[in-house]
Amino acid sequence: MTTPQNHHRPNPPHQPQGPLKGLRVLDLATLFAGPLCATMLGDFGAEVIKVEHPRKPDPSRGHGPSKDGVGLWWKTLGRNKKNLTLDLSSPGGREVLLKLAAESDVIVENFRPGTLEKWHLGWEELSAANPRLVLARVTGFGQFGPYARRPGFGTLAEAMSGFAAITGQPDGPPTLPPFGLADSIAALATSYAIMAALRGRDTTGRGQVVDMAIIEPMLAILGPQATWYDQLGYVQPRTGNRSTNNAPRNTYRTSDGLWVAVSTSAQSIAERVMRLVGRPEFIEEEWFGSGAGRAAHADELDEAVGGWIAAHTRDEVVAAFERAEAAIAPIYDVRDVMRDEQYRALGSITELPDPDLGTVKMQNVLFRLSETPGAIRWTGREHGADTDEVLDGLGLTEADIVALRKAGAV
């Protein structure tokens, strides 16, 4: 079987249907796990309708750098979404949402537990409007339990999951990531949960509720920490860039002041690295035969590997490791990513037309499908840009829409 090539990841004007064509998703969420989940579904063909408050847009529109007053984060997060304004707490907004729910497959929301119920838009009302609906509820701590009503953000999940406790230098503080790691992982997990719920609907004919607590996907990806503690009482410490499972595994500075990362998870790779750096005698040591044994001698191995790397430029180091079939990667910033030949070959960064910016580059869809590929059909649109189109599609007349606007419902 041949590997799918870049032509399976087309950009506009080629706009494939995508495997999720025919699926309608209502994105009621803000900042960031819920909206990113909806973006991922939209990338593969789902019709996503972003619902924002008429007077309080999604705060992500103003997050991060902007250009000429145009928020750049929103261009990515809001891509492939129609934009509808709706005050869900108003009678008119509630009525419109129930009409939309009746014609939709999925709702993604991240209000604090009890908020939709307060507006009479809880699961009971939504499932009555559409028994086949899937309601994905994304919150910091889930829908029940002692913390359920606390404000929840990804940072708190990074702290409470155990991630921050094992991240950073051994003699330094617990370290948080400089980007929305927990939110992004929760978005991926929620996308998977939604597809599982829809598959369940194929069997039962009924929708269901997805209860996604952002603290749980972070906990899940940290490996067997709970099992280690349960069986051994072992608590994983902070080890910086080192691993307790193998060595050499670290970042190393090259002679031209750049950095590379080396990994030796496989025994054969560890042996190749030591031969490459001129220290084959380590291979004969009894402790070298296991990852844990090598990790216990990380100082010696880092000195050998780091000393050799420090005497060569990054290009020389990478080329030598490639010839030796040893595992290495240059440490990139975004400038390197944008010009890297592997990312270019995969089409990982794509350029799109945009009415505000002319053209804009951003990450492409998450993966390639050989037969029904995803695509970015448009970038994030203005607040409420598609309100009239969506309401008209529900059969509302022009007079109905004017009345909703007058009441502040849209």
Side-chain angles (χ1 to χ4, degrees), residues 115-131:
T115 301
L116 283 183
E117 285 75 10
K118 179 179 67 176
W119 297 333
H120 304 290
L121 288 170
W123 177 238
E124 184 177 341
E125 292 87 358
L126 292 171
S127 61
N130 181 358

Side-chain angles (χ1 to χ4, degrees), residues 188-342:
L188 286 163
T190 306
S191 301
Y192 166 63
I194 287 169
M195 299 313 297
L198 290 171
R199 178 65 178 126
R201 186 181 74 175
D202 292 343
T203 303
T204 66
R206 293 191 61 82
Q208 58 187 302
V209 176
V210 172
D211 179 5
M212 179 61 67
I214 297 175
I215 56 174
E216 291 185 303
M218 280 298 297
L219 184 64
I221 68 164
L222 292 179
Q225 286 198 18
T227 305
W228 285 341
Y229 181 72
D230 172 63
Q231 295 295 307
L232 302 172
Y234 175 73
V235 178
Q236 184 175 342
R238 286 191 291 283
T239 57
N241 291 319
R242 286 180 172 176
S243 168
T244 57
N245 301 311
N246 68 81
R249 190 260 198 184
N250 213 327
T251 60
Y252 306 94
R253 194 170 188 175
T254 60
S255 64
D256 49 355
L258 302 174
W259 293 83
V260 295
V262 171
S263 176
T264 57
S265 295
Q267 180 69 23
S268 59
I269 299 294
E271 293 175 5
R272 291 172 196 166
V273 169
M274 301 321 296
R275 291 191 186 99
L276 171 62
V277 302
R279 301 297 298 274
E281 69 274 14
F282 280 116
I283 301 172
E284 305 305 319
E285 297 286 348
E286 184 178 351
W287 51 261
F288 196 87
S290 71
R294 297 196 307 274
H297 293 262
D299 286 342
E300 302 161 67
L301 296 174
D302 273 348
E303 183 180 359
V305 174
W308 185 88
I309 287 175
H312 300 80
T313 67
R314 186 172 77 176
D315 287 348
E316 291 169 344
V317 171
V318 171
F321 269 70
E322 286 186 351
R323 287 194 298 270
E325 297 185 357
I328 194 169
I331 292 178
Y332 281 172
D333 63 23
V334 68
R335 294 168 294 187
D336 302 306
V337 170
M338 297 293 270
R339 56 180 174 248
D340 180 80
E341 60 184 2
Q342 181 62 29

Side-chain angles (χ1 to χ4, degrees), residues 355-371:
D356 301 309
L357 303 170
T359 59
V360 59
K361 291 182 179 179
M362 64 180 64
Q363 296 97 322
N364 212 328
V365 299
L366 192 58
F367 49 85
R368 289 162 295 282
L369 295 177
S370 63
E371 300 300 325

Side-chain angles (χ1 to χ4, degrees), residues 20 23 25-27 29 32-41 106-110 134-140 182-198 208-218 366:
L20 302 184
L23 200 71
V25 178
L26 305 182
D27 174 9
F32 283 96
L36 182 56
C37 160
T39 301
M40 293 172 178
L41 299 175
V106 178
I107 291 179
V108 182
E109 64 97 0
N110 68 342
V134 169
L135 174 63
R137 315 194 79 165
V138 186
T139 57
D183 280 311
S184 300
I185 293 170
L188 286 163
T190 306
S191 301
Y192 166 63
I194 287 169
M195 299 313 297
L198 290 171
Q208 58 187 302
V209 176
V210 172
D211 179 5
M212 179 61 67
I214 297 175
I215 56 174
E216 291 185 303
M218 280 298 297
L366 192 58

Side-chain angles (χ1 to χ4, degrees), residues 8-31:
H8 288 303
R9 210 169 178 178
N11 301 322
H14 307 292
Q15 296 182 0
Q17 300 298 310
L20 302 184
K21 177 178 169 55
L23 200 71
R24 174 179 272 187
V25 178
L26 305 182
D27 174 9
L28 313 186
T30 59
L31 289 178

